[in-house]
Amino acid sequence: MAVAAAAAPGALGTLQAGRARLVAACCARLGPRWRLPGSWTCSRVDSKIWARGWTPAAGGAAWQRGYSAEVKTEDELRVRYLEEENRGIVVLGINRAYAKNSLSKNLIKMLSKAVDALKSDKKVRTIIVRSEVPGIFCAGADLKERAKMSSSEVGPFVSKIRAMINEIANLPVPTIAAIDGLALGGGLELALACDIRVAASSAKMGLVETKLAIIPGGGGTQRLPRAIGMSLAKELIFSARVLDGQEAKSVGLISHVLEQNQEGDAAYRKALDLAREFLPQGPVAMRVAKLAINQGMEVDLVTGLAIEEACYAQTIPTKDRLEGLLAFKEKRTPRYKGE
């Protein structure tokens, strides 16, 4: 008994140390200037749909932002920074109509480049992922391209898809998937990486990889159970079942379902409404709230509460917090700057 009693404090210390490391790692994701409590070191498309696309810079390797009144139709990814009352919202529009928006090598590269730029842009407040092709969100991997790959090429390519989807999941701002059409395989995995999913009732969604004698490889086996529960996720993956919007809503796969409109963009319009709801909130608070939720869901409750405490602490020294209090006192709308 004495030995057990002596060992207990050591085990508790190890557990606490492990939790402390998790919380520290959580805070580290906020950037080098963020610290644990006690060690502060604080330092556009408008209504006319102007587009800000991605174009190769001189030299070919690096990419830079390009600005144009209209996006070229051959662009497979359209990146739009909304303006005026929608300033802060960025729309990623997939545009491979001839291939049902399937994930090709080129599209994966373009998505990765876009996401890499967005994650460090402090002016970005919410990101919407949608399709520019009516009736299609994303049909999954480009199987015609895949058929031309050797066995040794398939694994690395799937790893790139998984990495790109993980990058979207790890974006620091809220992300919304607007599913106005077919979302199968990697297309649904892309949507699962977003914080919120909305869909038209006519949309079709499913992880259908077992029909091809493979399994979901872009995070589907992990994110689907976290979204709808293990048993039902297994049922859907084992059966390769495809759900419509109403069915997806009933199992918790999506947050909102809309009757499709004549323009075919009901889900996108709902996503835009949600994004507008997010815009008035404090930018720093939004980022740390997302981080606290995401990290907390992966650990036990005690560790999760410690992560929440550390994240809350990051909002205390901000100018935005003081502005929020002052605006409340003066009965006016706060003017947050993300500082």
Side-chain angles (χ1 to χ4, degrees):
M1 293 294 291
V3 173
L12 180 59
T14 300
L15 178 61
Q16 290 174 336
R19 285 174 176 157
R21 286 193 295 270
L22 280 170
V23 174
C26 174
C27 289
R29 293 188 59 183
L30 292 171
R33 293 177 63 82
W34 296 104
R35 298 290 185 272
L36 289 168
S39 58
W40 304 118
T41 59
C42 294
S43 345
R44 305 188 207 282
V45 177
D46 60 13
S47 57
K48 296 181 180 179
I49 313 297
W50 288 85
R52 182 179 296 182
W54 296 91
T55 55
W63 282 53
Q64 64 183 8
R65 287 176 186 160
Y67 302 84
S68 61
E70 294 185 10
V71 183
K72 295 180 180 179
T73 56
E74 65 266 28
D75 290 347
E76 294 188 347
L77 181 67
R78 298 176 175 181
V79 183
R80 294 188 172 100
Y81 286 60
L82 306 191
E83 296 291 352
E84 297 181 353
E85 71 275 10
N86 297 321
R87 185 182 298 273
I89 301 173
V90 178
V91 180
L92 298 181
I94 305 174
N95 186 45
R96 293 192 77 217
Y98 64 94
K100 296 185 178 180
N101 283 352
S102 57
L103 299 171
S104 64
K105 291 180 180 179
N106 184 57
L107 181 56
I108 293 299
K109 182 178 179 180
M110 295 180 76
L111 281 165
S112 294
K113 293 286 187 181
V115 170
D116 189 57
L118 291 172
K119 68 184 179 184
S120 58
D121 190 338
K122 299 300 183 182
K123 294 181 180 180
V124 176
R125 304 284 291 278
T126 299
I127 297 168
I128 298 174
V129 182
R130 66 167 302 196
S131 168
E132 301 282 342
V133 181
I136 299 290
F137 178 74
C138 173
D142 188 331
L143 296 182
K144 290 183 179 180
E145 185 179 76
R146 179 79 60 87
K148 299 176 183 177
M149 296 180 188
S150 65
S151 297
S152 61
E153 292 175 310
V154 173
F157 175 66
V158 174
S159 293
K160 288 182 179 179
I161 294 178
R162 186 182 304 113
M164 180 275 294
I165 290 175
N166 284 340
E167 289 168 4
I168 290 177
N170 291 329
L171 279 165
V173 299
T175 53
I176 308 171
I179 308 171
D180 274 306
L182 195 68
L184 300 179
L188 180 54
E189 289 175 306
L190 176 63
L192 282 166
C194 294
D195 300 312
I196 299 165
R197 289 166 295 283
V198 299
S201 58
S202 57
K204 302 293 183 182
M205 291 157 270
L207 296 180
V208 297
E209 285 85 350
T210 52
K211 282 187 176 182
L212 298 173
I214 56 176
I215 70 170
T221 63
Q222 304 305 306
R223 292 192 177 94
L224 186 62
R226 284 167 167 80
I228 66 173
M230 183 187 298
S231 181
L232 188 53
K234 286 179 176 178
E235 180 181 330
L236 295 181
I237 291 173
F238 294 166
S239 64
R241 188 180 306 156
V242 175
L243 307 178
D244 63 26
Q246 293 289 353
E247 292 168 330
K249 176 66 167 62
S250 70
V251 301
L253 179 55
I254 61 176
S255 300
H256 302 275
V257 60
L258 302 310
E259 289 298 321
Q260 189 57 281
N261 56 31
Q262 290 185 346
E263 292 78 12
D265 65 352
Y268 171 66
R269 293 191 183 196
K270 179 63 178 180
L272 196 55
D273 287 342
L274 290 173
R276 289 173 180 143
E277 284 190 62
F278 301 162
L279 284 180
Q281 321 313 329
V284 174
M286 295 290 282
R287 288 170 180 253
V288 295
K290 175 172 177 173
L291 185 61
I293 296 169
N294 285 357
Q295 297 296 309
M297 289 300 293
E298 302 302 322
V299 297
D300 62 273
L301 179 59
V302 174
T303 305
L305 290 172
I307 290 172
E308 178 186 81
E309 181 180 12
C311 287
Y312 186 98
Q314 309 312 316
T315 67
I316 295 175
T318 63
K319 294 178 181 178
D320 281 352
R321 185 183 74 89
L322 299 178
E323 164 62 14
L325 291 173
L326 183 61
F328 177 79
K329 180 180 178 181
E330 297 177 351
K331 298 181 180 180
R332 61 171 172 80
T333 300
R335 296 182 289 271
Y336 296 127
K337 298 180 179 179
E339 300 175 354

